[in-house]
């Protein structure tokens, strides 16, 4: 492949994903490489944790700390060195390790090193999010098939319909690769790595590319839009010019439920696998299961396509986008809304808006999770104390505004675009002076009067009284000091 990569300012990392159409031999080789990555992963986990179990056993015999078995390192260079030492003599690898590329084993070892690092940082409190447990061995029936190539022959063929990977050879792609091929030949892109993965019933290859990407100017760079996500409507968009647009919810899963029930009943009537007795599935069960999986894959593809079209359209039009920091994990615990929330893809919408905004050098403002966008009147700023979820029309008791609940929330979100970002770095955070509350704490919205504290509503009445009392005390102290 000709074309030399010319480094320029504005280089970004981007992924290109293509579906593959391997033949029978290539598909077997893909399974072998992914299985080799899983075998290397399991060996590394067992090798590292063996020293932990040994030290724990020795401690029960009263052996001193200095005499215990030394800890085995989990860094990638150390794992590589030990694996290269034992791969020719260990019966688990000696007979077949030469059949696969070295990158397959390196994939498993690199994943182990990252997993132990995440575990150590989480235990030390240096990693955000939920606690990460000790890495465990991967089961063959549950492990995701994936393998990453960083060295060797990795290229896009000149015909635009084939890719070449180390030890796997040239594999036909299901779709043309002309866009990436043109960039590589033009010298504006350089392929760094390739990852093959089996998902949704077929094989895919993803190229990690370092490329020069020009910033695309949006249609309204000075305009902002607030996006309120929901189930009735997928998104309600209110821009700074006062225009409101409703994006319908496609409900792809709901449209396929009837067909899924039919195929699920067909699968349940046939002889499936049984782990307890070791029974193998029948051919008719496998055929029926494949037909059911095709429906799930189609729903997932339709959802992905719809979300990409929505986020691309929004990012190509507005300069600033305001979204909410939704507690999606908490919503999924609601048994009445879980299926609809999962089908909408709230988290994926926010992720795409953020990275697509970075391409155009446009900011994405994330409103605080506790910001009362639905309870605040977009006209006068009065904040309701309570607004149940079943109340879909917002009615202001102060100014008499009657508006759709989601449209009112979208208008409040777009108003945050002009506001200053608070000390926490999150728009709409009205309480930054106190001690931050733990995740999951309940912040109740207090009733607020209009005209105090800005457009979105002022401080609560009790807070205002405390401030007035403090002012009186300071005045009295000043008078005493002068006297």
């Amino acid at each position: 492949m000709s074309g030399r990569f010319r480094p320029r300012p504005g280089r970004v990392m981007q992924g290109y994903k293509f579906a593959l159409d391997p033949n029978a031999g290539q598909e077997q080789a893909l399974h072998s490489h992914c299985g080799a990555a899983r075998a290397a992963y399991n060996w590394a986990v067992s090798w590292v944790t063996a020293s932990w179990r040994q030290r724990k056993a020795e401690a029960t015999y009263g052996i001193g700390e200095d005499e215990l078995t030394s800890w085995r390192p989990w860094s990638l260079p150390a794992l590589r060195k030990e694996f290269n030492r034992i791969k020719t003599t260990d019966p688990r690898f000696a007979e077949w390790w030469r059949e696969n590329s070295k990158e397959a084993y390196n994939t498993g070892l690199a994943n182990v090193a990252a997993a132990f690092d995440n575990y150590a940082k989480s235990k030390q409190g240096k990693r955000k999010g939920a606690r990460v447990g000790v890495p465990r061995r991967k089961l063959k029936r549950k492990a995701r098939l994936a393998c990453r190539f960083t060295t060797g022959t990795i290229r896009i063929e000149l015909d635009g319909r084939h890719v070449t990977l180390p030890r796997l050879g040239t594999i036909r792609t299901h779709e043309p690769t002309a866009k990436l091929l043109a960039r590589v030949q033009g010298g504006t892109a350089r392929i760094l790595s390739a990852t093959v993965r089996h998902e949704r019933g077929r094989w895919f290859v993803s190229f990690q590319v370092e490329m020069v990407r020009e910033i695309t100017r949006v249609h309204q760079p000075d305009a902002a839009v607030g996006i309120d996500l929901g189930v009735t409507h997928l998104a309600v968009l209110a821009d700074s010019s006062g225009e409101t647009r409703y994006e319908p919810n496609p409900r792809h899963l709901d449209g396929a439920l009837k067909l899924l029930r039919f195929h699920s009943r067909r699968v349940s009537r046939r002889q499936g696998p049984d782990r307890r007795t070791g029974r193998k599935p029948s051919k008719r069960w496998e055929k029926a299961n494949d037909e059911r999986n095709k429906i799930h894959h189609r729903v997932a593809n339709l959802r992905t396509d719809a979300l990409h079209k929505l986020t691309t359209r929004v990012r190509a039009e507005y300069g600033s986008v305001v979204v909410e920091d939704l507690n999606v994990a908490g919503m999924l615990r609601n048994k009445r809304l879980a299926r609809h929330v999962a089908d909408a893809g709230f988290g994926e919408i926010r992720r795409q808006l953020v990275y697509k905004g970075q391409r155009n050098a446009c900011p994405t403002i994330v409103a605080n999770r506790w910001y009362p966008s639905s309870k605040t009147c977009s006209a006068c700023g009065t904040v309701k104390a309570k607004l149940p979820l079943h109340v879909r029309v917002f009615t202001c008791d102060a100014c008499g505004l009657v508006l759709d609940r989601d449209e009112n929330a979208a208008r409040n979100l777009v108003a945050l675009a002009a506001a200053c970002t608070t000390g926490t770095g999150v728009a709409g955070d009205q309480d930054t002076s106190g001690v931050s509350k733990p995740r999951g704490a309940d912040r109740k919205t207090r009733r607020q009067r209009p005209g105090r504290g800005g457009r979105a509503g002022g401080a609560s009445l009790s807070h205002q009284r405390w401030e007035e009392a403090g002012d009186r005390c300071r005045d009295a102290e000043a008078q005493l000091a002068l006297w």
Side-chain angles (χ1 to χ4, degrees), residues 343-398:
D343 190 24
F346 292 160
E348 181 66 14
I349 292 177
R350 174 179 167 180
R351 186 189 72 86
Q352 292 183 14
L353 288 173
V354 171
Y355 84 79
K356 291 181 181 180
Q358 294 173 352
R359 292 178 178 178
N360 301 335
C362 295
T364 302
I365 304 172
V366 180
N368 190 299
R369 180 171 296 181
W370 305 106
Y371 175 67
S373 59
S374 299
K375 301 178 182 179
T376 305
C377 178
S378 58
C380 65
T382 304
V383 180
K384 284 181 173 290
K386 293 183 179 180
L387 187 64
L389 188 61
H390 68 273
V391 178
R392 305 311 304 170
V393 178
F394 178 87
T395 304
C396 182
D397 300 330

Side-chain angles (χ1 to χ4, degrees), residues 56-321:
K56 186 177 180 179
E58 292 174 353
T60 60
Y61 291 98
I63 300 178
E65 181 70 23
D66 298 338
E67 300 178 358
L68 294 178
T69 302
S70 59
W71 298 98
R72 287 178 176 175
W74 61 67
S75 63
L76 182 56
L79 294 177
R80 280 179 179 173
K81 183 178 180 180
E82 181 64 20
F83 180 79
N84 290 332
R85 187 184 67 83
I86 62 97
K87 65 183 180 183
T88 57
T89 57
D90 194 315
R92 293 172 292 181
F93 302 98
E95 296 181 359
W96 57 269
W97 70 269
R98 294 180 180 84
E99 299 176 2
N100 304 299
S101 171
K102 65 174 183 178
E103 293 295 323
Y105 308 103
N106 186 72
T107 299
L109 301 180
N111 292 341
V112 170
F116 276 106
D117 284 340
N118 292 336
Y119 164 70
K121 292 178 181 178
S122 178
K123 191 173 182 179
Q124 298 169 4
K126 299 179 181 179
R127 189 179 189 274
K128 297 181 180 180
R131 289 291 299 272
V132 177
V134 180
R136 296 180 296 179
R137 294 170 59 91
K138 294 183 178 181
L139 300 180
K140 182 177 181 180
R141 62 185 179 87
K142 288 186 177 181
R144 293 184 178 181
L145 302 178
C147 180
R148 186 167 182 256
F149 300 91
T150 56
T151 60
T153 305
I154 305 173
R155 66 169 179 262
I156 305 291
E157 296 299 334
L158 298 178
D159 60 355
R161 293 307 300 265
H162 291 83
V163 296
T164 300
L165 300 173
R167 293 297 294 270
L168 296 174
T170 302
I171 306 176
R172 180 175 174 82
T173 59
H174 186 73
E175 49 196 338
T177 60
K179 291 185 178 180
L180 178 57
L181 179 63
R183 284 188 171 273
V184 173
Q185 289 181 332
T188 59
R190 180 166 62 98
I191 298 176
L192 301 180
S193 65
T195 303
V196 292
R197 184 178 291 106
H198 187 270
E199 58 184 13
R200 299 182 184 178
R202 69 183 314 152
W203 289 95
F204 292 88
V205 58
S206 300
F207 293 99
Q208 184 183 17
V209 181
E210 182 184 23
M211 58 183 299
V212 178
R213 188 180 185 92
E214 303 295 338
I215 296 179
T216 305
R217 182 177 177 84
V218 298
H219 298 308
Q220 303 181 47
D222 299 330
V225 62
I227 303 179
D228 181 77
L229 302 177
V231 174
T232 305
H233 298 91
L234 180 59
V236 179
L237 287 74
D239 57 23
S240 53
S241 63
E243 182 182 356
T244 304
R245 187 167 70 251
Y246 288 81
E247 293 290 340
N249 190 356
R251 299 178 183 268
H252 300 292
L253 182 59
D254 288 354
L257 279 181
K258 184 177 180 180
L259 193 59
L260 279 173
R261 292 190 186 101
F262 170 79
H263 283 278
S264 296
R265 286 194 297 267
R266 173 181 289 181
V267 172
S268 65
R269 294 190 183 104
R270 299 182 178 179
Q271 181 174 316
D274 192 342
R275 292 178 55 203
R276 295 171 298 179
T277 61
R279 185 180 64 187
K280 299 295 183 181
S282 65
K283 296 296 183 181
R284 297 176 73 246
W285 183 92
E286 292 179 346
K287 182 179 179 180
N289 189 51
D290 291 340
E291 293 177 354
R292 181 181 59 175
N293 289 340
K294 286 181 180 179
I295 302 174
H296 283 292
H297 300 156
R298 176 175 172 78
V299 170
N301 291 332
L302 289 174
R303 183 187 301 115
T304 301
D305 179 70
L307 296 184
H308 271 292
K309 288 179 179 178
L310 171 62
T311 54
T312 301
R313 187 167 61 251
V314 171
R315 272 308 183 182
E317 184 175 358
Y318 299 101
S320 300
V321 175

